[in-house]
Amino acid sequence: MNSYLNQVINSFAEMDSAQLGELLDPQYTYQDMPLPLFVEKLEGIFSLFRSQGESQLEVLTGYCDNLSCNPRLDRRTYRFYSKVTRDYLDLRFSLEPSDDGLGELIAEIYQCYCFNCLEDNNGWYGDSMVLTSHLDERTDFSDKPDVMLHLQLAGAAVKESAHWPQRISKEFLEAWLMKYEPTYDFIEVSSGGFDFETMSWDDFYMLFYSLKSHLDLVTHFARDFDDDFLNNSECSEMQIIEKLLRFDKYLNEHEFTYLTLRRSDDVSVQIHTHSYWIEGEEFDFFAEFHDWFNIMYGLYVHRYYALTEAETDEYLEFEEDYDPEYNLGSLKFHMDIRKRARENGEYIPLRDF
């Protein structure tokens, strides 16, 4: 290994992003990004390693199995891994001769996804760190002014959210959503035009979507909340089932895999998403509805459970769905089975509550 490359490798191992900024040549791009942005992204990964208790990364040699990655250049591949977590970062360095022909320069650095390690090192590793390069962060990216404008606005929105308190009010969130809704709408319309490439506005998009969808959930079902309905024993069974299925459908369509509500004596009910707790008066009403839903849903799943024990075992053993146990807890799943049974003239008995 030449002395220059050795210095760079040591700086990676020491997680010294400032030193890398001085050693690497700004005339080149690294993972298609300009040097300052590349170093900034590296520092984010190094900070994560350090937060996990690591002070020095180990270095292992290997080679890249993908021979189509600039085969004309001298390619060197290394794994930088943490002894604390066993998480790692695989990088491919492409070298070319220096102008005087006496040494080599690092012309490219890319994250390697085809790394083949030459050293066993106890045989296992943790997670691969991701060195993300968004389409708009690459030096050759250029687009229309409106795209550039909304990229800037999305970045500003994320920076704003980084300074929020952990607890935010419904009114505060509504003002932020209103402010940046045009950018969110623009991204929704435009994102399909980038051929599945990631953009730096993706973090904003996911944050906005998560916050808005949780707020919509609460406000929608707070309006739908009917205290007389929940406490009226004269409601028909079909009315109750319709309400349960409607709420369940909403949860599934909006990809609410779970909901976290928190109650305390001094604040209203809060709902958790994206590291924030959102609170407001309507959340108290929603919490009551949510409690009612969980109790009644469980009762009706039990009442309308449509499989025998043998059928349940067979379903769990052979069903190829991602999560067959979820279907066993789904009221709609069992109601659909019963509907088909009725259409076929079959009989499935009810269970008592």
Side-chain angles (χ1 to χ4, degrees):
M1 185 188 302
N2 65 53
S3 58
Y4 171 62
L5 179 58
N6 190 46
Q7 282 183 284
V8 172
I9 298 302
N10 287 339
S11 295
F12 271 100
E14 294 169 0
M15 299 184 287
D16 191 339
S17 57
Q19 181 68 24
L20 285 169
E22 295 178 6
L23 287 172
L24 297 174
D25 193 333
Q27 72 170 309
Y28 296 110
T29 60
Y30 303 90
Q31 196 140 327
D32 297 320
M33 295 181 286
L35 177 59
L37 182 57
F38 178 74
V39 170
E40 179 183 326
K41 300 252 184 178
L42 281 176
E43 178 55 33
I45 293 177
F46 293 158
S47 295
L48 183 56
F49 274 129
R50 286 191 288 265
S51 71
Q52 296 168 342
E54 188 56 78
S55 59
Q56 174 86 25
L57 299 177
E58 297 294 309
V59 184
L60 298 177
T61 58
Y63 61 91
C64 176
D65 277 339
N66 187 355
L67 299 180
S68 65
C69 287
N70 282 343
R72 67 179 183 82
L73 297 176
D74 180 8
R75 307 185 313 163
R76 313 284 179 87
T77 314
Y78 302 93
R79 169 164 291 174
F80 303 90
Y81 79 94
S82 165
K83 291 179 292 184
V84 176
T85 63
R86 308 289 293 181
D87 293 345
Y88 61 93
L89 178 65
D90 294 340
L91 296 175
R92 175 175 57 77
F93 297 76
S94 296
L95 308 181
E96 65 180 15
S98 60
D99 292 338
D100 58 14
L102 300 177
E104 291 179 305
L105 299 174
I106 298 174
E108 290 178 345
I109 301 176
Y110 282 97
Q111 183 158 17
C112 182
Y113 297 102
C114 301
F115 181 83
N116 202 319
C117 191
L118 296 175
E119 304 173 54
D120 179 56
N121 195 45
N122 298 323
W124 71 273
Y125 295 95
D127 296 325
S128 172
M129 296 291 188
V130 178
L131 185 59
T132 306
S133 172
H134 296 295
L135 175 63
D136 56 285
E137 294 172 332
R138 300 174 190 172
T139 53
D140 59 353
F141 179 79
S142 61
D143 213 295
K144 298 175 183 177
D146 54 354
V147 172
M148 305 306 294
L149 171 63
H150 288 292
L151 281 166
Q152 293 176 6
L153 289 170
V158 172
K159 288 180 180 178
E160 277 185 31
S161 68
H163 299 288
W164 289 353
Q166 189 181 42
R167 278 168 45 184
I168 54 179
S169 69
K170 172 179 174 287
E171 292 73 21
F172 176 88
L173 178 56
E174 285 175 331
W176 184 86
L177 291 172
M178 183 179 297
K179 178 180 179 181
Y180 289 107
E181 189 169 17
T183 294
Y184 177 82
D185 292 341
F186 179 86
I187 294 171
E188 278 218 303
V189 173
S190 304
S191 57
F194 294 102
D195 299 325
F196 305 105
E197 293 274 8
T198 62
M199 298 280 282
S200 61
W201 61 29
D202 292 351
D203 289 343
F204 160 78
Y205 183 86
M206 294 307 299
L207 173 64
F208 189 102
Y209 174 81
S210 179
L211 292 169
K212 184 175 188 301
S213 60
H214 279 80
L215 185 60
D216 286 347
L217 169 72
V218 172
T219 55
H220 177 78
F221 282 95
R223 290 193 300 269
D224 196 46
F225 175 87
D226 185 337
D227 188 63
D228 291 335
F229 178 90
L230 301 187
N231 296 289
N232 189 348
S233 59
E234 297 180 0
C235 293
S236 72
E237 189 172 64
M238 289 311 299
Q239 285 179 308
I240 295 174
I241 290 174
E242 187 275 334
K243 201 174 190 73
L244 292 171
L245 292 177
R246 187 149 51 91
F247 186 57
D248 187 50
K249 180 181 179 182
Y250 189 96
L251 294 179
N252 288 325
E253 286 181 346
H254 293 81
E255 300 179 353
F256 289 102
T257 54
Y258 64 90
L259 287 171
T260 304
L261 296 175
R262 181 169 68 182
R263 299 167 174 82
S264 65
D265 295 334
D266 60 333
V267 296
S268 62
V269 171
Q270 303 163 3
I271 192 166
H272 188 261
T273 177
H274 251 81
S275 301
Y276 302 110
W277 291 95
I278 315 167
E279 59 189 20
E281 183 179 350
E282 290 174 310
F283 287 58
D284 295 316
F285 295 103
F286 173 78
E288 188 173 347
F289 177 87
H290 190 253
D291 290 344
W292 174 87
F293 169 82
N294 285 332
I295 293 171
M296 298 302 294
Y297 199 81
L299 288 174
Y300 277 98
V301 167
H302 178 77
R303 178 171 174 78
Y304 286 100
Y305 197 93
L307 305 179
T308 65
E309 290 186 11
E311 288 172 330
T312 299
D313 292 340
E314 182 180 1
Y315 177 79
L316 286 173
E317 183 176 356
F318 296 106
E319 181 58 43
E320 296 182 355
D321 282 358
Y322 175 73
D323 187 2
E325 290 189 1
Y326 171 79
N327 281 338
L328 293 180
S330 164
L331 180 59
K332 182 179 185 304
F333 174 75
H334 296 289
M335 296 292 284
D336 287 346
I337 290 178
R338 288 183 174 276
K339 180 180 179 182
R340 289 195 298 271
R342 286 196 304 271
E343 291 171 351
N344 296 329
E346 302 170 3
Y347 171 72
I348 303 176
L350 294 178
R351 300 185 181 194
D352 294 330
F353 282 128

